[in-house]
Amino acid sequence: MELSNIEKLLERYFEANATVAEEEMLREYFAKEDVPLHLKEYAPMFQYFSIAREEKFTKQVPLKPRKKSYLKWISVAAVSILIFGIYLGRSYQEQKKAEYAYQETKKALSLLATNLGKGTEKVAYLREFEETKQKIYNKN
Amino acid sequence: MQQTEFLNVVLPFKDKLYRLAKRLLVSKEEAEDATQEILMKLWSKNNMMEDYNNVEAYAMMMTKNFCLDRLKSKQAGNLKLVHSNYKDENVSLQNQVEVSDSLSWIEKIMEDLPEQQKMVLQLRDVEQYEFEEIAELLGMSATAVRVALSRARKTVREKLVQKHNYGIK
């Protein structure tokens, strides 16, 4: 590019009136070796900007996967359901046990009742015996 | 949004975030930490990320605010040591040293600029943003950006010429 053109561009550059494309032209121009002496002092500026653009961010960023919290809540829900289930199962079993006990006592009581019935039958004989005994006493 | 998807969105501009952070915070480690922090913040908000039409601008804004806050709290607390005047004294590579030397001058000159000018210069000359983008990012008018940029460039030129003359005299 012509020298006068570059000088004009430089002027616009320092007044901040140059466009991005024009600034790119300047950077390209100063990246070359054969810059006239009176412009040489600007060269490091443009070279520096080109070099500064190359700097990279190399550190690794530890990104925690978001699924973790999701899983956590699922496990909390699972545990609570399990505990509730155990509780329900327990109470159901208790109810069954109670029913069984009720049936058993009922059986025992009915056994008792039948035996008691037999007892009263026998007592009826005894009363007859008593009556005849009284008759005999009265006669005497 | 899945992790790989997120990385693909972030990949094109994560270096820009880092460079802006480094420009403001100077130290490499702090800039890395800041960038990491910003990326993690973005990740934690990634459900909302689809709503932002320009994730890059948003991330740059976050970086700017984060670094400025850092600088403020650093001024209140104690200053960190920064290796800005560390030099590699290798004589056999003198030519190379000379070149990288004058480049590191510019870095040092830029360190001394006011923060606003630093950011404008970084965004324009290094990242090649348009004036409108810079204006929106920094919350300035486009004209103010131009003024700040012109001032920053002229300061760099002036200091560079000074340094060159020191070398000769």
Side-chain angles (χ1 to χ4, degrees):
Chain A
M1 204 188 299
E2 288 161 51
L3 197 57
S4 60
N5 226 340
I6 288 294
E7 277 166 359
K8 255 184 221 160
L9 266 186
L10 264 177
E11 203 171 306
R12 278 161 60 78
Y13 172 81
F14 281 106
E15 294 305 324
N17 286 325
T19 64
V20 170
E22 285 170 336
E23 289 173 11
E24 186 58 37
M25 265 156 56
L26 281 174
R27 268 187 289 272
E28 272 168 29
Y29 179 78
F30 282 104
K32 287 180 223 149
E33 285 294 318
D34 50 344
V35 179
L37 205 63
H38 68 290
L39 292 182
K40 210 146 198 173
E41 62 190 31
Y42 299 122
M45 228 175 133
F46 293 100
Q47 286 166 8
Y48 171 74
F49 292 139
S50 308
I51 288 171
R53 204 177 152 75
E54 299 298 307
E55 212 168 337
K56 295 260 188 307
F57 176 67
T58 48
K59 208 174 176 186
Q60 283 292 315
V61 184
L63 297 177
K64 282 173 239 123
R66 331 202 88 227
K67 272 186 186 164
K68 242 183 186 172
S69 64
Y70 190 58
L71 263 179
K72 198 175 76 188
W73 285 113
I74 281 190
S75 58
V76 166
V79 165
S80 57
I81 284 174
L82 201 69
I83 288 172
F84 190 63
I86 286 173
Y87 170 74
L88 271 188
R90 271 267 179 92
S91 61
Y92 177 70
Q93 247 179 351
E94 262 166 33
Q95 200 187 331
K96 275 224 144 171
K97 258 190 203 165
E99 223 164 278
Y100 178 72
Y102 172 68
Q103 295 295 348
E104 286 298 297
T105 32
K106 220 173 157 185
K107 251 192 239 170
L109 280 177
S110 65
L111 196 73
L112 199 74
T114 46
N115 283 341
L116 212 70
K118 274 184 199 165
T120 41
E121 255 173 54
K122 297 290 187 239
V123 168
Y125 286 128
L126 230 147
R127 190 173 294 153
E128 217 158 313
F129 174 74
E130 187 75 15
E131 268 171 29
T132 41
K133 197 183 87 186
Q134 285 296 328
K135 276 180 195 164
I136 293 168
Y137 273 134
N138 290 341
K139 271 186 188 166
N140 290 345
Chain B
M1 199 183 278
Q2 286 304 308
Q3 196 166 339
T4 45
E5 221 178 310
F6 173 77
L7 288 176
N8 284 340
V9 172
V10 158
L11 203 66
F13 61 81
K14 73 175 185 6
D15 296 327
K16 291 186 188 176
L17 303 183
Y18 170 66
R19 290 191 291 251
L20 179 65
K22 188 164 177 239
R23 181 67 62 212
L24 286 167
L25 300 173
V26 179
S27 126
K28 186 170 178 271
E29 286 76 27
E30 279 197 63
E32 278 176 349
D33 288 349
T35 315
Q36 190 174 15
E37 192 93 353
I38 296 297
L39 289 178
M40 268 149 65
K41 268 188 198 168
L42 269 182
W43 172 243
S44 68
K45 286 187 196 171
N46 83 9
N47 292 341
M48 287 143 65
M49 241 163 87
E50 278 125 23
D51 302 341
Y52 302 126
N53 41 11
N54 193 343
V55 182
E56 177 180 332
Y58 178 70
M60 285 297 263
M61 190 120 58
M62 273 172 80
T63 310
K64 178 203 86 178
N65 292 334
F66 183 85
C67 292
L68 291 182
D69 283 351
R70 258 294 162 76
L71 287 174
K72 239 183 247 167
S73 65
K74 211 160 77 164
Q75 268 170 357
N78 38 8
L79 288 160
K80 244 196 178 175
L81 267 180
V82 168
H83 288 285
S84 59
N85 51 3
Y86 175 79
K87 248 183 241 169
D88 185 11
E89 313 254 1
N90 202 335
V91 190
S92 64
L93 295 169
Q94 199 174 351
N95 201 23
Q96 211 183 327
V97 169
E98 228 165 76
V99 172
S100 65
D101 227 28
S102 54
L103 295 184
S104 68
W105 278 347
I106 297 176
E107 196 163 320
K108 262 185 262 174
I109 291 168
M110 277 182 79
E111 269 172 42
D112 293 335
L113 289 175
E115 264 134 35
Q116 198 184 54
Q117 290 184 20
K118 235 189 249 183
M119 287 190 285
V120 172
L121 200 58
Q122 169 75 15
L123 293 175
R124 178 64 175 191
D125 275 343
V126 180
E127 311 299 356
Q128 295 163 21
Y129 276 40
E130 292 289 346
F131 287 123
E132 289 74 25
E133 292 173 290
I134 300 173
E136 201 177 324
L137 253 172
L138 302 183
M140 301 159 72
S141 71
T143 337
V145 171
R146 270 173 209 271
V147 171
L149 182 63
S150 169
R151 231 171 251 166
R153 283 170 174 172
K154 281 176 180 165
T155 313
V156 172
R157 174 177 65 180
E158 203 176 297
K159 293 229 177 127
L160 196 61
V161 170
Q162 262 178 25
K163 294 243 180 190
H164 267 289
N165 289 345
Y166 278 138
I168 293 163
K169 278 168 195 167

